[in-house]
Amino acid sequence: MTADAAAAALGVARFDARQNSRFEDLADDEREPAELGEWERIVQLLADAPPGTGYDPDTGDVVRAELAADNAAAAREAELREAVQIAVHAYELQALRELGALEQAEPREGDEAVRLELTRRAGGYVQDDVDTWLARNLATHRGHYRGPAAGLLTPPVLAYAALLAELRRLVPNAGIDELAFAARLTTTEPEAAGDLAKLLTHARPAR
């Protein structure tokens, strides 16, 4: 994560904190201060580091230290830790989206839960660009998706990934943007797109 991305994520976190402070049921959310404090620490860390230094949220220990100080039961502590990590990663992806750099994000474990968190923050509306990013990663076996890791991905995302993988196999030289129609098809007719992907498995590339 770059200093610009971290600063953008901090801005999103501060905006959310201001918005949530207006609602009584959200004002006492114990996760928010930990998330905001973590982003402030990351921004300061990168500001003090040599230019070009990056940061990987997975290596940070502040969230774990804060949760370790919690006197709640072990099960609650683990649940809270996971929630914070999901929220931090959601802020990271949101910051990259605002920078127009989502495609640069390396997929990793927990992306499926982050997708649900971003959808929740959007009031339940599906984030098409995030679904497209996930489907492309799954179709190209990138990062976390080098192995079987479908997890909580929805049928349209799975259908898009399957169809995209088969189209890329049949037309290896096609650019990813040339196959954008597959996303539209799977959004409106996920079952039909899945059936088409299965049918294409029997096709052979032209020689």
Side-chain angles (χ1 to χ4, degrees):
M1 185 178 220
T2 65
D4 287 342
L10 175 57
V12 173
R14 285 174 172 167
F15 175 80
D16 282 355
R18 289 194 299 272
Q19 292 294 102
N20 291 343
S21 66
R22 302 175 185 176
F23 301 94
E24 212 173 288
D25 58 331
L26 296 176
D28 295 328
D29 188 350
E30 58 189 1
R31 296 178 303 171
E32 193 167 86
E35 295 165 14
L36 188 56
E38 174 69 348
W39 281 118
E40 290 173 344
R41 184 189 74 86
I42 292 171
V43 168
Q44 187 59 51
L45 181 68
L46 292 176
D48 295 338
T53 300
Y55 178 81
D56 181 358
D58 287 340
T59 64
D61 59 359
V62 170
V63 172
R64 288 192 294 274
E66 289 172 347
L67 294 176
D70 193 351
N71 294 322
R76 173 57 182 158
E77 185 175 312
E79 179 184 340
L80 185 56
R81 180 184 296 112
E82 181 180 5
V84 169
Q85 289 173 342
I86 289 171
V88 168
H89 190 24
Y91 279 120
E92 178 188 3
L93 290 185
Q94 181 63 36
L96 290 172
R97 292 170 76 188
E98 294 185 5
L99 292 170
L102 181 59
E103 289 296 331
Q104 297 177 16
E106 183 74 10
R108 62 176 186 259
E109 186 175 357
D111 283 339
E112 298 87 1
V114 170
R115 175 194 178 276
L116 295 176
E117 172 66 10
L118 289 172
T119 301
R120 182 191 68 78
R121 292 182 184 181
Y125 290 100
V126 173
Q127 309 296 289
D128 291 335
D129 59 337
V130 175
D131 278 2
T132 296
W133 174 71
L134 287 168
R136 290 179 175 181
N137 289 330
L138 184 58
T140 56
H141 306 291
R142 182 171 173 241
H144 173 53
Y145 296 104
R146 290 190 181 93
L152 303 175
L153 295 181
T154 61
V157 175
L158 295 174
Y160 178 27
L163 183 55
L164 187 60
E166 290 304 319
L167 290 171
R168 284 171 57 85
R169 179 180 65 84
L170 292 170
V171 191
N173 295 328
I176 199 76
D177 292 333
E178 294 180 77
L179 305 176
F181 68 89
R184 296 192 296 272
L185 176 61
T186 51
T187 298
T188 56
E189 296 289 345
E191 291 187 11
D195 291 339
L196 177 57
K198 291 177 183 176
L199 179 64
L200 292 178
T201 61
H202 303 294
R204 294 288 180 270
R207 300 190 181 214

